[in-house]
Amino acid sequence: MISGDVVIVASLMVYVCGYQVGFGPIAWLLISEIFPLDVRGQALAIAVVSNFVANGILSLCAASMLDWSDAGTFGIFLALDIYAIYFIWRYVPETKGLTLEEITAEKKHAAP
């Protein structure tokens, strides 16, 4: 019989592997494409630091939030996910099939 610990570790490994070949790289790909070439280095640095700071804050707060309320904690995460989907749909440009130069030119053309 397989112990519960083995099932948990195996499930976690399957999740991490699936995440890393699916949704995981999207944030890194997006920030590498979205910024203009002239500020890309600085913008990537700010985006990466912001990402890790947000992950750290969430990691520090998640346990105490779960002590408060499981449903409330995941309700907050659901609300943030819904807002993220809206934000991406509304403000993140489609870059599929475009070169970096085309993306930069399109951004300059769309700027007010």
Side-chain angles (χ1 to χ4, degrees):
M1 179 142 230
I2 299 175
S3 73
D5 293 342
V6 172
V7 171
I8 291 170
V9 171
S11 298
L12 184 60
M13 291 173 66
V14 168
Y15 166 76
V16 169
C17 290
Y19 182 80
Q20 292 304 324
V21 298
F23 184 74
I26 290 175
W28 302 105
L29 179 66
L30 178 66
I31 64 173
S32 70
E33 287 186 352
I34 205 76
F35 298 114
L37 293 172
D38 54 336
V39 297
R40 182 160 293 149
Q42 296 90 346
L44 283 172
I46 292 169
V48 169
V49 168
S50 299
N51 185 15
F52 282 112
V53 167
N55 287 338
I57 291 169
L58 179 63
S59 297
L60 293 173
C61 295
S64 61
M65 289 173 67
L66 286 170
D67 288 342
W68 165 65
S69 166
D70 291 350
T73 299
F74 288 103
I76 291 169
F77 292 156
L78 175 63
L80 289 171
D81 286 344
I82 290 170
Y83 176 73
I85 290 168
Y86 165 75
F87 182 87
I88 291 167
W89 173 75
R90 177 72 174 94
Y91 295 106
V92 176
E94 176 62 59
T95 59
K96 182 178 181 182
L98 299 175
T99 65
L100 291 175
E101 292 78 15
E102 291 170 334
I103 294 169
T104 302
E106 189 173 303
K107 279 187 235 170
K108 287 181 181 177
H109 184 265

